[in-house]
Amino acid sequence: MPAHALSERAARAALAAHFAPGQLAAELDEYTPAEVWERRVRIDGSGRLAHYRPHEELARAELTCPFVIPSDGEWPTALADLGPACPLGLWVRGRERLPRLTDSAVAVTGNRAPTEQAVTRAHDFATALAEADHTVTATLAYGVDSTAHQAAAEAGRATLAVLPRGLDGAHPHAHAPLLSSILDSGGAAVSLYRPGTAASGATLKASAVLLAALARAMVLIEALDHVEAMYAAETAVDLHRPLLAAPATGDVRTSGSARLLDEQLALNSADPNLALALPHARVARASDIADGDLLLAAVGEDGADYFNAPYTAHPEPFNPSCECGVCCLITAPGEVVVLSNGDPWNACDPWPADDRLLIVPAQRRPDRHFEE
């Protein structure tokens, strides 16, 4: 089929069925999806692509669910943060609900075989997020993720499920009723994979990336190192999504969470109320910090370096003779401001006005339960 006769949607679906986005990024910068498909067909020595019928395959797959592409109004704009790895498209059930759900999505994820404490925490965090009108977003998996979906449903709120397989079924299969209830109650499900695709190690990993990219913030309840939930959390760090990790308990099942906290890559808190603030977080210059702002992390070229505990900023005049040991911010040449949280640090280390901090503005804080 000539490239000009192939629609963008059919071309993207065909490319997505055979290639990862990163394999095509350079070509898509120069050519249309239809032209890239035609080029790939020409150089495919196996003949596999030449026998693929993009329009027919798309029509067959869309009997199950539509394929949404970046030019559609429902496309989640946050996926642009993935750069060259941005998906070619998404298979979606509940397409019309997707913009509303992704606008306030917070991922809640963790171990598939969690501790009892993790199950309780997952329920508490998801309930608080749902009741605050954030969209609880998870993977439908056993353990933490399915608990989060169920807690949001109990709160009467819709959730978003990110699946590592085609949307003609659930993963795990036993959670087919849960998937149906999510869709029936106003939620949605998304996948990178066309109907009929089975879950695999590769699809689980790619879906973890999608989970992190769709969310405005992430809550890691409990995770062993090197599991899908940890891959999602590390992607959230790379994408500069605010990441909260519940305190590690010393149980081997918290080894991954413990590492993120030790490296100050995640905010350490057991308080669900703090999670409510995360979607409102933004990066601000140190000189622009205002009274009541919640300070979460210092932000450098390598990302966020979370404080041991978040604190509320109360700027006040700096007295160099006070030896108070709080964090000082230089706001102008010769002028310094103290950010005091009532629990001074051990050293007074001035910060330039252009240094950046991850903050929740005072006017966007949902409550003050977590204030010192």
PDB file of all heavy atoms in Angstrom, residues 159-197:
ATOM      1  N   THR A 159     -10.876   4.440  38.826  1.00  0.00           N
ATOM      2  CA  THR A 159      -9.435   4.253  38.788  1.00  0.00           C
ATOM      3  C   THR A 159      -8.973   3.978  37.366  1.00  0.00           C
ATOM      4  O   THR A 159      -9.765   3.729  36.460  1.00  0.00           O
ATOM      5  CB  THR A 159      -8.988   3.096  39.704  1.00  0.00           C
ATOM      6  OG1 THR A 159      -9.371   1.843  39.123  1.00  0.00           O
ATOM      7  CG2 THR A 159      -9.580   3.212  41.080  1.00  0.00           C
ATOM      8  N   LEU A 160      -7.654   4.030  37.186  1.00  0.00           N
ATOM      9  CA  LEU A 160      -7.037   3.786  35.888  1.00  0.00           C
ATOM     10  C   LEU A 160      -6.110   2.591  36.012  1.00  0.00           C
ATOM     11  O   LEU A 160      -5.230   2.565  36.880  1.00  0.00           O
ATOM     12  CB  LEU A 160      -6.255   5.021  35.442  1.00  0.00           C
ATOM     13  CG  LEU A 160      -5.481   4.916  34.121  1.00  0.00           C
ATOM     14  CD1 LEU A 160      -6.428   4.696  32.946  1.00  0.00           C
ATOM     15  CD2 LEU A 160      -4.645   6.179  33.902  1.00  0.00           C
ATOM     16  N   ALA A 161      -6.296   1.593  35.150  1.00  0.00           N
ATOM     17  CA  ALA A 161      -5.469   0.388  35.158  1.00  0.00           C
ATOM     18  C   ALA A 161      -4.529   0.389  33.965  1.00  0.00           C
ATOM     19  O   ALA A 161      -4.949   0.644  32.836  1.00  0.00           O
ATOM     20  CB  ALA A 161      -6.351  -0.859  35.129  1.00  0.00           C
ATOM     21  N   VAL A 162      -3.256   0.103  34.216  1.00  0.00           N
ATOM     22  CA  VAL A 162      -2.242   0.005  33.167  1.00  0.00           C
ATOM     23  C   VAL A 162      -1.865  -1.466  33.042  1.00  0.00           C
ATOM     24  O   VAL A 162      -1.295  -2.041  33.968  1.00  0.00           O
ATOM     25  CB  VAL A 162      -1.003   0.856  33.511  1.00  0.00           C
ATOM     26  CG1 VAL A 162       0.057   0.728  32.418  1.00  0.00           C
ATOM     27  CG2 VAL A 162      -1.393   2.315  33.704  1.00  0.00           C
ATOM     28  N   LEU A 163      -2.187  -2.071  31.909  1.00  0.00           N
ATOM     29  CA  LEU A 163      -2.012  -3.506  31.744  1.00  0.00           C
ATOM     30  C   LEU A 163      -0.818  -3.849  30.854  1.00  0.00           C
ATOM     31  O   LEU A 163      -0.567  -3.155  29.865  1.00  0.00           O
ATOM     32  CB  LEU A 163      -3.270  -4.138  31.155  1.00  0.00           C
ATOM     33  CG  LEU A 163      -4.326  -4.630  32.163  1.00  0.00           C
ATOM     34  CD1 LEU A 163      -4.882  -3.477  32.972  1.00  0.00           C
ATOM     35  CD2 LEU A 163      -5.440  -5.366  31.451  1.00  0.00           C
ATOM     36  N   PRO A 164      -0.129  -4.961  31.159  1.00  0.00           N
ATOM     37  CA  PRO A 164       1.024  -5.392  30.356  1.00  0.00           C
ATOM     38  C   PRO A 164       0.648  -6.383  29.274  1.00  0.00           C
ATOM     39  O   PRO A 164       1.491  -7.171  28.831  1.00  0.00           O
ATOM     40  CB  PRO A 164       1.918  -6.050  31.416  1.00  0.00           C
ATOM     41  CG  PRO A 164       0.930  -6.704  32.336  1.00  0.00           C
ATOM     42  CD  PRO A 164      -0.255  -5.754  32.403  1.00  0.00           C
ATOM     43  N   ARG A 165      -0.596  -6.364  28.830  1.00  0.00           N
ATOM     44  CA  ARG A 165      -1.074  -7.277  27.798  1.00  0.00           C
ATOM     45  C   ARG A 165      -2.196  -6.596  27.019  1.00  0.00           C
ATOM     46  O   ARG A 165      -2.595  -5.474  27.349  1.00  0.00           O
ATOM     47  CB  ARG A 165      -1.601  -8.567  28.424  1.00  0.00           C
ATOM     48  CG  ARG A 165      -2.723  -8.376  29.436  1.00  0.00           C
ATOM     49  CD  ARG A 165      -3.663  -9.592  29.453  1.00  0.00           C
ATOM     50  NE  ARG A 165      -4.318  -9.769  28.155  1.00  0.00           N
ATOM     51  CZ  ARG A 165      -4.673 -10.940  27.663  1.00  0.00           C
ATOM     52  NH1 ARG A 165      -4.443 -12.044  28.340  1.00  0.00           N
ATOM     53  NH2 ARG A 165      -5.279 -11.012  26.482  1.00  0.00           N
ATOM     54  N   GLY A 166      -2.700  -7.250  25.992  1.00  0.00           N
ATOM     55  CA  GLY A 166      -3.818  -6.704  25.249  1.00  0.00           C
ATOM     56  C   GLY A 166      -5.054  -6.594  26.112  1.00  0.00           C
ATOM     57  O   GLY A 166      -5.267  -7.390  27.042  1.00  0.00           O
ATOM     58  N   LEU A 167      -5.897  -5.618  25.794  1.00  0.00           N
ATOM     59  CA  LEU A 167      -7.058  -5.329  26.642  1.00  0.00           C
ATOM     60  C   LEU A 167      -8.245  -6.247  26.376  1.00  0.00           C
ATOM     61  O   LEU A 167      -9.346  -5.995  26.874  1.00  0.00           O
ATOM     62  CB  LEU A 167      -7.468  -3.869  26.466  1.00  0.00           C
ATOM     63  CG  LEU A 167      -6.433  -2.835  26.922  1.00  0.00           C
ATOM     64  CD1 LEU A 167      -6.963  -1.429  26.721  1.00  0.00           C
ATOM     65  CD2 LEU A 167      -6.036  -3.051  28.372  1.00  0.00           C
ATOM     66  N   ASP A 168      -8.019  -7.336  25.652  1.00  0.00           N
ATOM     67  CA  ASP A 168      -9.061  -8.343  25.516  1.00  0.00           C
ATOM     68  C   ASP A 168      -9.086  -9.282  26.717  1.00  0.00           C
ATOM     69  O   ASP A 168      -9.937 -10.170  26.803  1.00  0.00           O
ATOM     70  CB  ASP A 168      -8.854  -9.159  24.236  1.00  0.00           C
ATOM     71  CG  ASP A 168      -7.455  -9.765  24.161  1.00  0.00           C
ATOM     72  OD1 ASP A 168      -6.489  -9.118  24.617  1.00  0.00           O
ATOM     73  OD2 ASP A 168      -7.323 -10.881  23.634  1.00  0.00           O
ATOM     74  N   GLY A 169      -8.190  -9.090  27.657  1.00  0.00           N
ATOM     75  CA  GLY A 169      -8.142  -9.906  28.860  1.00  0.00           C
ATOM     76  C   GLY A 169      -7.472  -9.145  29.989  1.00  0.00           C
ATOM     77  O   GLY A 169      -7.035  -8.008  29.813  1.00  0.00           O
ATOM     78  N   ALA A 170      -7.409  -9.765  31.144  1.00  0.00           N
ATOM     79  CA  ALA A 170      -6.791  -9.155  32.320  1.00  0.00           C
ATOM     80  C   ALA A 170      -5.461  -9.836  32.617  1.00  0.00           C
ATOM     81  O   ALA A 170      -5.207 -10.958  32.183  1.00  0.00           O
ATOM     82  CB  ALA A 170      -7.723  -9.278  33.525  1.00  0.00           C
ATOM     83  N   HIS A 171      -4.621  -9.143  33.344  1.00  0.00           N
ATOM     84  CA  HIS A 171      -3.393  -9.749  33.867  1.00  0.00           C
ATOM     85  C   HIS A 171      -3.233  -9.318  35.322  1.00  0.00           C
ATOM     86  O   HIS A 171      -3.079  -8.140  35.586  1.00  0.00           O
ATOM     87  CB  HIS A 171      -2.167  -9.313  33.069  1.00  0.00           C
ATOM     88  CG  HIS A 171      -0.900  -9.947  33.578  1.00  0.00           C
ATOM     89  ND1 HIS A 171      -0.548 -11.233  33.246  1.00  0.00           N
ATOM     90  CD2 HIS A 171       0.062  -9.487  34.413  1.00  0.00           C
ATOM     91  CE1 HIS A 171       0.589 -11.537  33.844  1.00  0.00           C
ATOM     92  NE2 HIS A 171       0.982 -10.487  34.547  1.00  0.00           N
ATOM     93  N   PRO A 172      -3.294 -10.279  36.239  1.00  0.00           N
ATOM     94  CA  PRO A 172      -3.496 -11.716  36.038  1.00  0.00           C
ATOM     95  C   PRO A 172      -4.932 -12.038  35.607  1.00  0.00           C
ATOM     96  O   PRO A 172      -5.840 -11.249  35.833  1.00  0.00           O
ATOM     97  CB  PRO A 172      -3.198 -12.306  37.417  1.00  0.00           C
ATOM     98  CG  PRO A 172      -3.554 -11.196  38.356  1.00  0.00           C
ATOM     99  CD  PRO A 172      -3.150  -9.927  37.669  1.00  0.00           C
ATOM    100  N   HIS A 173      -5.089 -13.223  35.033  1.00  0.00           N
ATOM    101  CA  HIS A 173      -6.399 -13.619  34.517  1.00  0.00           C
ATOM    102  C   HIS A 173      -7.456 -13.611  35.611  1.00  0.00           C
ATOM    103  O   HIS A 173      -8.624 -13.273  35.364  1.00  0.00           O
ATOM    104  CB  HIS A 173      -6.309 -15.003  33.875  1.00  0.00           C
ATOM    105  CG  HIS A 173      -7.625 -15.509  33.357  1.00  0.00           C
ATOM    106  ND1 HIS A 173      -8.230 -14.981  32.223  1.00  0.00           N
ATOM    107  CD2 HIS A 173      -8.478 -16.467  33.840  1.00  0.00           C
ATOM    108  CE1 HIS A 173      -9.384 -15.601  32.024  1.00  0.00           C
ATOM    109  NE2 HIS A 173      -9.557 -16.501  32.976  1.00  0.00           N
ATOM    110  N   ALA A 174      -7.047 -13.959  36.833  1.00  0.00           N
ATOM    111  CA  ALA A 174      -8.003 -14.028  37.944  1.00  0.00           C
ATOM    112  C   ALA A 174      -8.614 -12.671  38.268  1.00  0.00           C
ATOM    113  O   ALA A 174      -9.638 -12.596  38.954  1.00  0.00           O
ATOM    114  CB  ALA A 174      -7.319 -14.605  39.183  1.00  0.00           C
ATOM    115  N   HIS A 175      -8.005 -11.593  37.783  1.00  0.00           N
ATOM    116  CA  HIS A 175      -8.511 -10.253  38.072  1.00  0.00           C
ATOM    117  C   HIS A 175      -9.400  -9.718  36.953  1.00  0.00           C
ATOM    118  O   HIS A 175      -9.654  -8.510  36.889  1.00  0.00           O
ATOM    119  CB  HIS A 175      -7.355  -9.301  38.355  1.00  0.00           C
ATOM    120  CG  HIS A 175      -6.778  -9.485  39.721  1.00  0.00           C
ATOM    121  ND1 HIS A 175      -5.625  -8.853  40.151  1.00  0.00           N
ATOM    122  CD2 HIS A 175      -7.200 -10.243  40.775  1.00  0.00           C
ATOM    123  CE1 HIS A 175      -5.355  -9.211  41.387  1.00  0.00           C
ATOM    124  NE2 HIS A 175      -6.303 -10.050  41.779  1.00  0.00           N
ATOM    125  N   ALA A 176      -9.900 -10.605  36.110  1.00  0.00           N
ATOM    126  CA  ALA A 176     -10.852 -10.183  35.077  1.00  0.00           C
ATOM    127  C   ALA A 176     -12.085  -9.509  35.692  1.00  0.00           C
ATOM    128  O   ALA A 176     -12.544  -8.478  35.189  1.00  0.00           O
ATOM    129  CB  ALA A 176     -11.256 -11.369  34.207  1.00  0.00           C
ATOM    130  N   PRO A 177     -12.657 -10.040  36.798  1.00  0.00           N
ATOM    131  CA  PRO A 177     -13.789  -9.342  37.412  1.00  0.00           C
ATOM    132  C   PRO A 177     -13.413  -7.944  37.921  1.00  0.00           C
ATOM    133  O   PRO A 177     -14.228  -7.007  37.839  1.00  0.00           O
ATOM    134  CB  PRO A 177     -14.194 -10.268  38.573  1.00  0.00           C
ATOM    135  CG  PRO A 177     -13.710 -11.617  38.160  1.00  0.00           C
ATOM    136  CD  PRO A 177     -12.434 -11.360  37.429  1.00  0.00           C
ATOM    137  N   LEU A 178     -12.199  -7.799  38.441  1.00  0.00           N
ATOM    138  CA  LEU A 178     -11.761  -6.486  38.915  1.00  0.00           C
ATOM    139  C   LEU A 178     -11.650  -5.516  37.747  1.00  0.00           C
ATOM    140  O   LEU A 178     -12.078  -4.353  37.846  1.00  0.00           O
ATOM    141  CB  LEU A 178     -10.419  -6.608  39.634  1.00  0.00           C
ATOM    142  CG  LEU A 178      -9.784  -5.298  40.135  1.00  0.00           C
ATOM    143  CD1 LEU A 178     -10.718  -4.564  41.096  1.00  0.00           C
ATOM    144  CD2 LEU A 178      -8.431  -5.586  40.803  1.00  0.00           C
ATOM    145  N   LEU A 179     -11.096  -5.966  36.628  1.00  0.00           N
ATOM    146  CA  LEU A 179     -11.008  -5.107  35.444  1.00  0.00           C
ATOM    147  C   LEU A 179     -12.398  -4.690  34.981  1.00  0.00           C
ATOM    148  O   LEU A 179     -12.632  -3.512  34.664  1.00  0.00           O
ATOM    149  CB  LEU A 179     -10.271  -5.836  34.325  1.00  0.00           C
ATOM    150  CG  LEU A 179     -10.181  -5.105  32.987  1.00  0.00           C
ATOM    151  CD1 LEU A 179      -9.472  -3.766  33.139  1.00  0.00           C
ATOM    152  CD2 LEU A 179      -9.470  -5.977  31.940  1.00  0.00           C
ATOM    153  N   SER A 180     -13.323  -5.628  34.960  1.00  0.00           N
ATOM    154  CA  SER A 180     -14.696  -5.305  34.539  1.00  0.00           C
ATOM    155  C   SER A 180     -15.329  -4.278  35.462  1.00  0.00           C
ATOM    156  O   SER A 180     -16.003  -3.345  35.008  1.00  0.00           O
ATOM    157  CB  SER A 180     -15.547  -6.576  34.513  1.00  0.00           C
ATOM    158  OG  SER A 180     -15.092  -7.459  33.510  1.00  0.00           O
ATOM    159  N   SER A 181     -15.087  -4.419  36.758  1.00  0.00           N
ATOM    160  CA  SER A 181     -15.684  -3.473  37.708  1.00  0.00           C
ATOM    161  C   SER A 181     -15.076  -2.086  37.561  1.00  0.00           C
ATOM    162  O   SER A 181     -15.763  -1.071  37.717  1.00  0.00           O
ATOM    163  CB  SER A 181     -15.513  -3.983  39.145  1.00  0.00           C
ATOM    164  OG  SER A 181     -14.152  -3.948  39.552  1.00  0.00           O
ATOM    165  N   ILE A 182     -13.780  -2.015  37.244  1.00  0.00           N
ATOM    166  CA  ILE A 182     -13.127  -0.721  37.010  1.00  0.00           C
ATOM    167  C   ILE A 182     -13.777  -0.012  35.831  1.00  0.00           C
ATOM    168  O   ILE A 182     -14.096   1.188  35.890  1.00  0.00           O
ATOM    169  CB  ILE A 182     -11.617  -0.916  36.775  1.00  0.00           C
ATOM    170  CG1 ILE A 182     -10.913  -1.294  38.078  1.00  0.00           C
ATOM    171  CG2 ILE A 182     -10.982   0.350  36.175  1.00  0.00           C
ATOM    172  CD1 ILE A 182      -9.467  -1.702  37.901  1.00  0.00           C
ATOM    173  N   LEU A 183     -13.995  -0.751  34.747  1.00  0.00           N
ATOM    174  CA  LEU A 183     -14.586  -0.166  33.548  1.00  0.00           C
ATOM    175  C   LEU A 183     -16.051   0.184  33.751  1.00  0.00           C
ATOM    176  O   LEU A 183     -16.530   1.217  33.273  1.00  0.00           O
ATOM    177  CB  LEU A 183     -14.431  -1.128  32.381  1.00  0.00           C
ATOM    178  CG  LEU A 183     -12.974  -1.453  31.987  1.00  0.00           C
ATOM    179  CD1 LEU A 183     -12.930  -2.582  30.972  1.00  0.00           C
ATOM    180  CD2 LEU A 183     -12.282  -0.211  31.444  1.00  0.00           C
ATOM    181  N   ASP A 184     -16.774  -0.665  34.484  1.00  0.00           N
ATOM    182  CA  ASP A 184     -18.205  -0.430  34.713  1.00  0.00           C
ATOM    183  C   ASP A 184     -18.463   0.746  35.653  1.00  0.00           C
ATOM    184  O   ASP A 184     -19.557   1.326  35.639  1.00  0.00           O
ATOM    185  CB  ASP A 184     -18.865  -1.684  35.287  1.00  0.00           C
ATOM    186  CG  ASP A 184     -18.926  -2.818  34.282  1.00  0.00           C
ATOM    187  OD1 ASP A 184     -18.763  -2.546  33.078  1.00  0.00           O
ATOM    188  OD2 ASP A 184     -19.116  -3.980  34.705  1.00  0.00           O
ATOM    189  N   SER A 185     -17.458   1.104  36.462  1.00  0.00           N
ATOM    190  CA  SER A 185     -17.660   2.167  37.456  1.00  0.00           C
ATOM    191  C   SER A 185     -17.045   3.497  37.031  1.00  0.00           C
ATOM    192  O   SER A 185     -16.793   4.361  37.872  1.00  0.00           O
ATOM    193  CB  SER A 185     -17.088   1.731  38.805  1.00  0.00           C
ATOM    194  OG  SER A 185     -15.701   1.461  38.705  1.00  0.00           O
ATOM    195  N   GLY A 186     -16.784   3.660  35.731  1.00  0.00           N
ATOM    196  CA  GLY A 186     -16.296   4.950  35.236  1.00  0.00           C
ATOM    197  C   GLY A 186     -14.803   5.051  35.079  1.00  0.00           C
ATOM    198  O   GLY A 186     -14.279   6.124  34.767  1.00  0.00           O
ATOM    199  N   GLY A 187     -14.077   3.951  35.298  1.00  0.00           N
ATOM    200  CA  GLY A 187     -12.636   3.971  35.136  1.00  0.00           C
ATOM    201  C   GLY A 187     -12.227   3.628  33.714  1.00  0.00           C
ATOM    202  O   GLY A 187     -13.053   3.529  32.803  1.00  0.00           O
ATOM    203  N   ALA A 188     -10.942   3.417  33.531  1.00  0.00           N
ATOM    204  CA  ALA A 188     -10.417   3.103  32.202  1.00  0.00           C
ATOM    205  C   ALA A 188      -9.230   2.168  32.338  1.00  0.00           C
ATOM    206  O   ALA A 188      -8.650   2.020  33.425  1.00  0.00           O
ATOM    207  CB  ALA A 188     -10.005   4.382  31.463  1.00  0.00           C
ATOM    208  N   ALA A 189      -8.881   1.538  31.229  1.00  0.00           N
ATOM    209  CA  ALA A 189      -7.701   0.675  31.167  1.00  0.00           C
ATOM    210  C   ALA A 189      -6.914   1.036  29.916  1.00  0.00           C
ATOM    211  O   ALA A 189      -7.498   1.338  28.874  1.00  0.00           O
ATOM    212  CB  ALA A 189      -8.097  -0.802  31.132  1.00  0.00           C
ATOM    213  N   VAL A 190      -5.602   1.023  30.034  1.00  0.00           N
ATOM    214  CA  VAL A 190      -4.742   1.353  28.900  1.00  0.00           C
ATOM    215  C   VAL A 190      -3.671   0.290  28.748  1.00  0.00           C
ATOM    216  O   VAL A 190      -3.291  -0.383  29.710  1.00  0.00           O
ATOM    217  CB  VAL A 190      -4.076   2.737  29.048  1.00  0.00           C
ATOM    218  CG1 VAL A 190      -5.116   3.842  29.148  1.00  0.00           C
ATOM    219  CG2 VAL A 190      -3.153   2.763  30.268  1.00  0.00           C
ATOM    220  N   SER A 191      -3.179   0.154  27.529  1.00  0.00           N
ATOM    221  CA  SER A 191      -2.099  -0.789  27.258  1.00  0.00           C
ATOM    222  C   SER A 191      -1.307  -0.320  26.050  1.00  0.00           C
ATOM    223  O   SER A 191      -1.831   0.349  25.158  1.00  0.00           O
ATOM    224  CB  SER A 191      -2.664  -2.187  26.989  1.00  0.00           C
ATOM    225  OG  SER A 191      -1.616  -3.086  26.637  1.00  0.00           O
ATOM    226  N   LEU A 192      -0.043  -0.698  26.038  1.00  0.00           N
ATOM    227  CA  LEU A 192       0.800  -0.457  24.874  1.00  0.00           C
ATOM    228  C   LEU A 192       0.592  -1.517  23.807  1.00  0.00           C
ATOM    229  O   LEU A 192       1.104  -1.377  22.684  1.00  0.00           O
ATOM    230  CB  LEU A 192       2.278  -0.467  25.296  1.00  0.00           C
ATOM    231  CG  LEU A 192       2.730   0.631  26.260  1.00  0.00           C
ATOM    232  CD1 LEU A 192       4.113   0.308  26.794  1.00  0.00           C
ATOM    233  CD2 LEU A 192       2.708   1.987  25.585  1.00  0.00           C
ATOM    234  N   TYR A 193      -0.168  -2.558  24.139  1.00  0.00           N
ATOM    235  CA  TYR A 193      -0.199  -3.759  23.308  1.00  0.00           C
ATOM    236  C   TYR A 193      -1.578  -4.043  22.741  1.00  0.00           C
ATOM    237  O   TYR A 193      -2.578  -3.952  23.448  1.00  0.00           O
ATOM    238  CB  TYR A 193       0.318  -4.955  24.115  1.00  0.00           C
ATOM    239  CG  TYR A 193       1.690  -4.665  24.650  1.00  0.00           C
ATOM    240  CD1 TYR A 193       1.881  -4.249  25.968  1.00  0.00           C
ATOM    241  CD2 TYR A 193       2.796  -4.716  23.803  1.00  0.00           C
ATOM    242  CE1 TYR A 193       3.138  -3.925  26.440  1.00  0.00           C
ATOM    243  CE2 TYR A 193       4.067  -4.389  24.263  1.00  0.00           C
ATOM    244  CZ  TYR A 193       4.237  -3.991  25.581  1.00  0.00           C
ATOM    245  OH  TYR A 193       5.485  -3.652  26.036  1.00  0.00           O
ATOM    246  N   ARG A 194      -1.614  -4.411  21.482  1.00  0.00           N
ATOM    247  CA  ARG A 194      -2.862  -4.667  20.791  1.00  0.00           C
ATOM    248  C   ARG A 194      -3.564  -5.874  21.400  1.00  0.00           C
ATOM    249  O   ARG A 194      -2.921  -6.751  21.994  1.00  0.00           O
ATOM    250  CB  ARG A 194      -2.623  -4.896  19.300  1.00  0.00           C
ATOM    251  CG  ARG A 194      -1.641  -5.990  18.968  1.00  0.00           C
ATOM    252  CD  ARG A 194      -1.561  -6.274  17.479  1.00  0.00           C
ATOM    253  NE  ARG A 194      -2.750  -6.965  17.024  1.00  0.00           N
ATOM    254  CZ  ARG A 194      -3.344  -6.726  15.865  1.00  0.00           C
ATOM    255  NH1 ARG A 194      -2.870  -5.804  15.051  1.00  0.00           N
ATOM    256  NH2 ARG A 194      -4.417  -7.395  15.502  1.00  0.00           N
ATOM    257  N   PRO A 195      -4.886  -5.951  21.274  1.00  0.00           N
ATOM    258  CA  PRO A 195      -5.614  -7.119  21.764  1.00  0.00           C
ATOM    259  C   PRO A 195      -5.017  -8.412  21.211  1.00  0.00           C
ATOM    260  O   PRO A 195      -4.607  -8.481  20.052  1.00  0.00           O
ATOM    261  CB  PRO A 195      -7.031  -6.890  21.230  1.00  0.00           C
ATOM    262  CG  PRO A 195      -7.147  -5.399  21.144  1.00  0.00           C
ATOM    263  CD  PRO A 195      -5.795  -4.935  20.711  1.00  0.00           C
ATOM    264  N   GLY A 196      -4.969  -9.417  22.074  1.00  0.00           N
ATOM    265  CA  GLY A 196      -4.382 -10.693  21.687  1.00  0.00           C
ATOM    266  C   GLY A 196      -2.951 -10.865  22.138  1.00  0.00           C
ATOM    267  O   GLY A 196      -2.410 -11.968  22.089  1.00  0.00           O
ATOM    268  N   THR A 197      -2.301  -9.792  22.592  1.00  0.00           N
ATOM    269  CA  THR A 197      -0.914  -9.867  23.058  1.00  0.00           C
ATOM    270  C   THR A 197      -0.878 -10.383  24.487  1.00  0.00           C
ATOM    271  O   THR A 197      -1.580  -9.867  25.362  1.00  0.00           O
ATOM    272  CB  THR A 197      -0.245  -8.490  22.999  1.00  0.00           C
ATOM    273  OG1 THR A 197      -0.366  -7.955  21.676  1.00  0.00           O
ATOM    274  CG2 THR A 197       1.228  -8.584  23.377  1.00  0.00           C
TER     275      THR A 197
END
